[in-house]
Amino acid sequence: MKKILGIFSLLLLTGSLVMGQTVQITGNVKGSEDGLAMPGVFVQVKGTTIGTITGLDGNYTIAVPSSAQSLVFSFVGFVTHEETIQGRTRIDVILKQDLYNVDEVVVVAYGTQQRRDIAGAITTVKGDAIQSIPMQSFDQALQGRAAGVSITMPNGVLNNPPVIRIRGINSMTASSYPLIVVDGVPIATGNWSGNSAITNALADINPADIQSMEILKDASATALFGSRAANGVIIITTKRGSGARTRVTYDGYVGMTEPYRLFEMMNATQYIEHKNKAWQNLSGPTAPQLSLVNDASGQPINTRWSDYVYRTGLQHNHSITFSGSTASTNYFLSVGYTDQEGMIKKNTYNRKSLRLNLDHKLNKYISLGANASYTKGFNQAPNTGASFATAGAARLAFVLPPNIGPFRNDGSYNIEGSALGRMGQPFPALGYYNVAAIFELNKFTAETDRLLATISASVEPLKGLVLKTVFGMDNLSIESITYQSPVTGDSFGSNGYAGSSMQKNSRWTWTNTINYNTTLFERFNIGLLGGIEEQYNVNNWWSGSKTNVSDPFFTSYQGSWVTAGMGGGGQGENYYISYFGRINFNYDRKYFVEFSTRRDGFSGLSVGNKFGTFGGASVMWRASNESFIANTGIGEIFSDIRLKGSYGRVGNMAGIGDFSSLFLYGSGVYGAIPTLTFSQAGNANLKWEASDKYDIGLSFGILNDKIQLDLNWFYNDINDLILNVPQAPSKGIPNNSIPANVGSMYNTGFEFTVTSYNISKSRFSWTTTFNLSTLKNEVTELAPGLTELIGITGGLETTSRTKVGYPIGNIYAVETRGVDPTSGRRIYVDRNGKEVLYRHEFPAAERWLFKDGSGYSTGISIADGKIMGSPLPKVYGGIDNVINYRDFDFSVNLTYSLGFDLYNGSKAGLRDQRWWNNSVEVYETAWKKEGDITNIPKPVMNDNISNGSAFVISENIERGDYMKVRSISLGYSLKNLPGDLSIERIRLYGQVFNALVFTKYSGSDPEVSTEGGSNLAPGIDRNTAPQARTYTLGLNVTF
Amino acid sequence: MRNIIKGSLASVLLITVLLTIGCSKENLDPVPKTSLSDLTVFDTKDRVVAQVNGMYAFMKTGAFLGGRYYVYNDVRAENFIPKSSNLVTNYATWNHTVLPGTNEVQNLWGAVYAAMNAINVFKGGLETAWADGKLTGKVTAAEYDQYLSEALTLRAMCYFYLLQLYAKPYNMNAGDNPGLPLRLIANKTAADNDLARSKVSEVYTQILKDLNDAEPLAVASYSSDLLNTTRVHKNTIIAFKTRVYLHMSNWPAVLTESAKIVSAAAPYTAPSGVAHTLNPGFKDIWATPYTSKESIFSMPFTTTNTPGGQNGLAHYHHPSSSESYYLIKSAGSTYSKIDDTDARKLLMVTDGDGRTFVGKWRDFTTLTDYAPVMRYAEILLTYAEAIVRQGNSVTQGAVNLLNAVRMRSFPDGEYALEDFTTVQNFIDAVLLERSIEFLGEGIRNMDLMRTISTIPAKAGGNMGDVSTIAPNSPTYIWPIPQNELNFNKLMVQN
């Protein structure tokens, strides 16, 4: 006890001595690798706030109290160095490069921690890793870079929000999208566009401004985000200035993008041969005959419709940053410009962005900070996605007949009303649009304005005690403009259409925290955090439309039209009030314990149910700090051994609307008279979805951290899932569903990450990062009496079922067993297991024939279906290799997903026997004569059943396993440039993005999701635009 | 030292801020700005009236009486060929390949039951508000009765229309077949998913009960032609009863009801209430303002209240639509039996490919043509048929009624009593007249069903041929939708 008191008084004495006499110390700092002077190194008197920064020549001068014991030298990317003063007045040091990133500081909820002190599951991705990826937003580039994080681009349209899943699908009918926090403030995410020009709200952050991205996966890491933490959290930290010298950088690239793996369709000759045969199979010898049609030059028309949809797009991207710091102020300014053409015609993305980040130390106690960014985005995209829309360009690229063309011989559009013209061919009305015409005539754009800004102030009245207030604003507005020509297409019937919509989303967040960190008795490290946060969101949107243009000259809503539509809109608001706290404690950096809790109040819940409490806890044992391990053989081989465990309960409120708990009446008109109708059956008992998350982890390094391994096991038990519980349609409840907290499921898996610094010489380094995640999902409960949930594609096709005892979102199909070689008919299996053949040309009652000859079946439908596949990958991850040799750098990034099925719905269309064009496979392998072994039945004109258009058949379910070479890049750097150029470094590089795909999947791309982020219908590929391959040449210059 | 003071001051300030930001109460309880809560919808008379109109809005959805219902009942029968094989525009209904999961099978069911629940929610709310005295001084007793009568009538229509597609005709075993689940009270919660089908006869009993309850409560007429055409009044109910009894082959009842709204002699007019009568010109029925005395009940549309893209009747019957249906004109077809001078043929439009369209709905641009639910012509033809069937002999009175409809459009087509040597001759003539008169109005398939007739084959040209469907065929009626079977455990398939 006496001893402890002694230490205590010594501490107090040290504190008071600070005010005493000072000594001047000077010195110089150099880097270990190149021996060059290091500017901008932070030199601090240990245990005080006294500090300075080295100048351009690496020199520094600091006045230290005579009582000071040692100086601490720190610089990003170098191992922090401590030097005892021992009475010296000149201290030169050489800083060692932190080759293995062991000293990394990680951003956590409401603060930062040393990577090695963290028990929670957090993965960091550095901004540098994604900066040159030719995409629109940082989230798209996270693919394959973090264990447990699966990212899927739903299709090849620019600026599509990717499907992000952290540790699997964590909700059924609510969103599984993680919470995104930028510089401490949760921001709006998703697509807010009012038309087909998709916008990703995360594209409003210039990837070049990002310092790091922390992905928080387990409950102990996310617990402080409470009710919004269940899907994981991604924390984005933007760059700050450092270094006494103003550093100027330029990053830019030019590139081109093109589609790959397009379908090989029948040419005109093959088409007419095949379809005429199909027609004869339907109607006999009197069947109509298709023929070749001549173009203006007298040659037969042979149209590759995909040529009118796809192109090679050009892209360029530039960003310039200025950054630096003085003793009291650091600043980061950036300006960015990107202009990208997609591989789909008329699909473009343009962004201009500005950012200013500023920190200023007012005095010893008070610091101020600001981040502000303004972004203007412009998106243009034709209608590509909607699976079954007659304007859907991805389908038009393969469905239209090749023996007719987009233009008549006189050069005018080949159209008949809204649809493609038949050029005298005996088709029924084609119905589908002339894609060349609608691409040229129609226009869909969305323009975004985004302001993201925070101002913060913090006070440190006592050492270790920081009071901080942060006020953040997120204003997002999007104007979506649609024009559809009266000439042909969707708005031929209404003689043109112009629609505009305006979406305004504004949010403020005010966070106040008290943070106290201290060390007692040298070995007890304690951190305390308390806080209050408020967030208020307002969403207002309106839309207007006009039809029947008065003169084709007018192409905008503001122009002159005959008929004005009713218009639409919505107004919403919601509010959160939250109280949170965290205690962390460690003894001698060996035994770590942490508790976090958050109480959230949310306005969208019913009175009396507005508040919920969440929390998490973790423990960690850093075994390598135990002398009995460090000093044995284990300690020689293994370093930094940490054993971790955490548990927490967090929520997901994405399924709760602003007014979900209320019974509402909507208004409208009956002719011209106002109406009020029952529009929402609310649920007053609605509350958050809750996840109980368990995590056990082991991390260690081998050979002095040369190889670092991280192994995690997790189990997320998700309860109170909000299901829009389907109601019997005969009840007539609006939307046939009522939301309720009724379901449960779990996700469990292993995550394994290895970072290996294979070679780390100054002239040659090679680093490999490998991550692998496994995932098992099982639905354990649905609403009482509810046996399954149905997932629908394109609003029409019932593709997916979710059932208790199975993973979520299974593909549901009628089993088929190939084609009967004798008759050439598709073999279906009915609900009783009997095989049935389908014969389209027969009278309705005789079409479905039992294969065993026992008469006619009453017909097969999706009611005969069963679960035939799961689209959730069992294993996924990425492999990253970075090699630096002298002035060259080379990197290759692979991603993979294994053990999953996809519904290749496009294949049903590619083989459909209406007048639709078919793939060459159909021409070559369709059943022709008895004995033919094939998967494609005898073609009969108008048969939309045998190949899966009418309902899903197992023939069209395929294995989706793939490995992608996501990017390959090769760079060359020029360093040590002549001093008078004041250029520090120039790097030139070339990159191929989406370079290669290895897969047996027969669709365009196994990385696909027609239904975007839908939890209940994942893994659907229905007339989806394929992905693009992009080649870029880039330049980085640092002044 | 000064800095310490400054720092302390600032921190005191910050702590004060921390403690004083309160959870502001009103922020946690926002009120929606674009919807009304169920607690306030009976607060004013205007809101009650808006709810009454809301029931009609549900009847008028594109999937139901706004457009598609008529199309289903026409294209199942023998008169039309689709231009497009698009499954969304009823191709499967046309070639009798609908399945329990087919969109129209699920969508119509959902739309009609949604209308019924809206009706039941309103009716229940109205009765409660009335009993609680909340409507005192806002709604008179007569108005209360009127609103109830409208609710009951619309509900009866919903059940009647559903029966025609999802259940066997009443005339098969006098309705002793599975009918519909009878939902008569409001559903607002997750309870009561399971409800078994009542028999066809029981559903008819309910329909007639609702209509008979409604009739004495209804108003005789409204203040304008528009309201008389688009809202339920006494004669609407009577007219609908003639249709219900016709489908039950209850001839005495058809006669009783018809006599209430058809005068003894030409020109035939409803003697009381709204003076329904045939409009002199056939063509004018299909033009603005669509509110002639012939139109007993129609669904109104405006440029800001349209049936929606693939729903409007013009979408299905206009030559410019790529998904419209054109008439079969071969020998023996209904078309071939229409005289070239007949106004109903003169209204038709033929396109460049020689395809002929009925021409009743002409506003393809904005789809604002009214959708006719019932016209006076139907009452006269129903009356004529009932007279002959009841008396089992052809009478001059019945011939006169038939002629009234026929000769309006085809003055040279007068039938004489002696043209009909048998009762069946006359019935055939009436059915043909109905087929011609109501082309596109969704009557034909209902006539086939109530007479237990085989659905004729169709030579569909490019669209393939469609064979006959006999009354004992499983595809004679639509299947029960899959989603109803999924979530209503007591439901059974047809």
Side-chain angles (χ1 to χ4, degrees), chain A residues 279 282 288 363-366 390 416-419 422 426-431 457-459 461 467-469 492-495 508 510 512-514 532 534 536 547-548 563-566 569-571 573-575 577 579 601-605 607 610-611 658-659 662-667 669-679 681-682 726-734 736 738 785-788 790 795-796 798 801 840 843-845 847 858 860-863 914-915 942 944 949-951, chain B residues 3-8 10-11 14-15 17-19 21-24 27-39 41-42 47-58 60 82-88 91 95-97 99-101 103 109-110 113-114 117-118 121-122 181 183 187-195 226-227 230-231 297-305 320-323 353 355 364-366 461-465 467 469 474-475 482-484 486-489:
Chain A
W279 223 327
L282 174 72
N363 56 36
K364 195 172 164 188
Y365 308 102
I366 302 176
T390 37
E416 267 178 51
S418 62
R422 289 169 290 173
F427 298 116
L430 292 172
S458 59
V459 182
L467 293 90
K468 191 172 184 186
T469 183
F492 164 76
S494 62
N495 193 33
W508 59 255
W510 190 15
N512 292 283
T513 52
I514 303 178
I532 300 178
E534 282 182 284
Y536 183 66
T547 54
N548 201 358
T563 310
M566 184 62 106
Q571 292 178 296
E573 62 180 304
N574 63 57
Y575 174 75
I577 172 88
Y579 310 90
F602 177 56
S603 65
L605 299 169
V607 179
K610 293 199 188 275
F611 282 87
D658 293 349
F659 307 109
L662 306 177
F663 286 84
L664 294 178
Y665 278 69
S667 57
V669 289
Y670 173 57
I673 299 162
T675 63
L676 258 184
T677 52
F678 181 38
S679 61
Q727 305 296 305
S730 63
K731 287 175 68 183
I733 298 280
N736 288 333
I738 296 177
L786 179 68
T787 53
E788 59 186 5
I790 295 175
L796 285 175
T798 326
R801 301 277 166 124
H840 187 78
R847 282 183 186 159
T858 53
I860 304 280
S861 73
I862 197 67
R914 284 171 273 187
W915 53 259
N942 293 335
N944 61 349
S949 283
F951 50 83
Chain B
N3 279 349
I4 292 175
I5 294 165
K6 237 164 109 183
S8 310
S11 54
L14 206 65
I15 289 166
V17 164
L18 276 172
L19 296 176
I21 63 161
C23 102
S24 47
N27 278 351
L28 268 179
D29 294 306
V31 175
K33 294 187 178 80
T34 55
S35 301
L36 287 164
S37 140
D38 57 341
L39 304 174
V41 290
F42 287 98
R47 287 185 187 169
V48 177
V49 175
Q51 287 190 72
V52 173
N53 281 292
M55 295 189 293
Y56 290 89
F58 267 101
K60 203 183 73 144
K83 278 164 95 173
S84 162
S85 58
N86 190 349
L87 289 169
V88 174
Y91 180 70
N95 70 5
H96 306 297
T97 54
L99 300 165
N103 293 299
W109 180 275
Y113 270 110
N117 195 42
V121 167
F122 169 67
R183 303 265 184 194
N187 288 303
K188 293 171 94 170
T189 69
D192 303 324
N193 274 307
D194 301 336
L195 182 64
L226 177 68
L227 291 174
T230 59
R231 293 273 296 271
F297 191 36
S298 295
M299 295 287 124
F301 294 101
T302 66
T303 54
T304 51
N305 184 216
S320 296
S321 166
S322 63
E323 291 166 337
D353 291 331
R355 296 177 293 201
F364 179 55
T365 305
T366 42
N462 295 344
M463 286 295 152
D465 296 340
S467 46
I469 303 290
T475 50
Q482 190 59 45
N483 51 1
E484 182 69 28
N486 289 347
F487 304 119
N488 176 355
K489 296 299 171 210

Side-chain angles (χ1 to χ4, degrees), chain A residues 229-338:
Chain A
N231 292 329
V233 180
I234 299 180
I235 299 183
I236 306 300
T237 308
T238 58
K239 289 176 178 166
R240 330 278 327 165
S242 70
R245 196 166 77 84
T246 300
R247 176 183 289 251
V248 181
T249 67
Y250 166 80
D251 291 287
Y253 64 75
V254 293
M256 51 184 244
T257 187
E258 62 182 23
Y260 59 97
R261 282 170 62 102
L262 292 178
F263 299 117
E264 197 192 341
M265 305 304 294
M266 297 195 285
N267 64 30
T269 315
Q270 292 167 330
Y271 173 79
I272 61 166
E273 180 191 332
H274 177 82
K275 291 292 168 182
N276 283 341
K277 192 167 68 191
W279 223 327
Q280 281 179 18
N281 288 341
L282 174 72
S283 318
T286 59
Q289 292 269 320
L290 294 167
S291 55
L292 292 172
V293 181
N294 285 346
D295 64 13
S297 63
Q299 295 299 307
I301 292 172
N302 181 22
T303 309
R304 264 171 58 107
W305 286 98
S306 59
D307 291 345
Y308 296 91
V309 174
Y310 301 108
R311 67 173 171 193
T312 299
L314 298 179
Q315 313 190 327
H316 59 114
N317 180 73
H318 313 274
S319 77
I320 298 171
T321 68
F322 304 85
S323 62
S325 63
T326 67
S328 61
T329 305
N330 71 59
Y331 58 91
F332 173 85
L333 289 100
S334 98
V335 52
Y337 178 77
T338 190

Side-chain angles (χ1 to χ4, degrees), chain A residues 764-976:
Chain A
F764 183 30
S765 70
W766 174 24
T767 308
T768 302
T769 313
F770 170 78
N771 73 69
L772 180 146
S773 310
T774 69
L775 184 66
K776 179 178 189 297
N777 170 286
E778 188 184 323
V779 175
T780 49
E781 190 185 352
L782 294 172
L786 179 68
T787 53
E788 59 186 5
L789 288 170
I790 295 175
I792 292 182
T793 296
L796 285 175
E797 190 177 24
T798 326
T799 50
S800 316
R801 301 277 166 124
T802 294
K803 277 189 168 179
V804 172
Y806 290 89
I808 190 169
N810 303 285
I811 306 168
Y812 191 83
V814 174
E815 187 186 348
T816 54
R817 293 180 183 159
V819 168
D820 173 32
T822 314
S823 63
R825 310 297 180 164
R826 172 85 63 214
I827 303 166
Y828 293 79
V829 181
D830 76 5
R831 68 195 80 181
N832 303 316
K834 273 188 94 171
E835 293 186 344
V836 183
L837 304 175
Y838 180 70
R839 311 177 305 166
H840 187 78
E841 72 274 26
F842 281 71
E846 299 168 25
R847 282 183 186 159
W848 297 97
L849 181 73
F850 286 116
K851 186 163 175 280
D852 62 10
S854 60
Y856 301 119
S857 156
T858 53
I860 304 280
S861 73
I862 197 67
D864 295 282
K866 53 190 169 191
I867 287 172
M868 300 289 291
S870 169
L872 307 185
K874 293 183 179 68
V875 178
Y876 60 93
I879 308 164
D880 219 351
N881 274 290
V882 179
I883 298 170
N884 285 290
Y885 178 70
R886 291 176 178 266
D887 296 329
F888 289 93
D889 59 86
F890 173 76
S891 80
V892 53
N893 173 228
L894 306 163
T895 62
Y896 60 91
S897 275
L898 305 170
F900 70 108
D901 302 300
L902 290 169
Y903 170 50
N904 187 354
S906 303
K907 196 157 89 181
L910 289 168
R911 294 175 172 184
D912 190 284
Q913 289 309 317
R914 284 171 273 187
W915 53 259
W916 303 5
N917 197 7
N918 300 133
S919 56
V920 170
E921 180 200 21
V922 174
Y923 177 77
E924 287 169 349
T925 66
W927 188 93
K928 291 176 187 68
K929 57 180 192 310
E930 199 172 324
D932 283 356
I933 307 290
T934 172
N935 281 329
I936 303 176
K938 176 181 177 179
V940 177
M941 196 69 172
N942 293 335
D943 179 1
N944 61 349
I945 304 238
S946 294
N947 292 296
S949 283
F951 50 83
V952 181
I953 57 175
S954 65
E955 169 71 20
N956 296 336
I957 297 175
E958 295 184 34
R959 208 69 181 152
D961 300 18
Y962 72 85
M963 164 125 116
K964 272 191 177 185
V965 181
R966 180 70 52 190
S967 67
I968 305 178
S969 79
L970 178 63
Y972 178 72
S973 297
L974 292 153
K975 292 175 200 159
N976 303 325

Side-chain angles (χ1 to χ4, degrees), chain A residues 366-389:
Chain A
I366 302 176
S367 305
L368 302 172
N371 307 314
S373 81
Y374 172 73
T375 309
K376 190 158 194 68
F378 182 81
N379 301 269
Q380 181 179 358
N383 182 350
T384 53
S387 325
F388 302 106

Side-chain angles (χ1 to χ4, degrees), chain B residues 22 91 107 183 194 196 201 249 265 360 428 430 466 469 484:
Chain B
Y91 180 70
N107 293 349
R183 303 265 184 194
D194 301 336
S201 57
S249 298
K360 289 176 177 172
D428 290 345
V430 168
V466 179
I469 303 290
E484 182 69 28

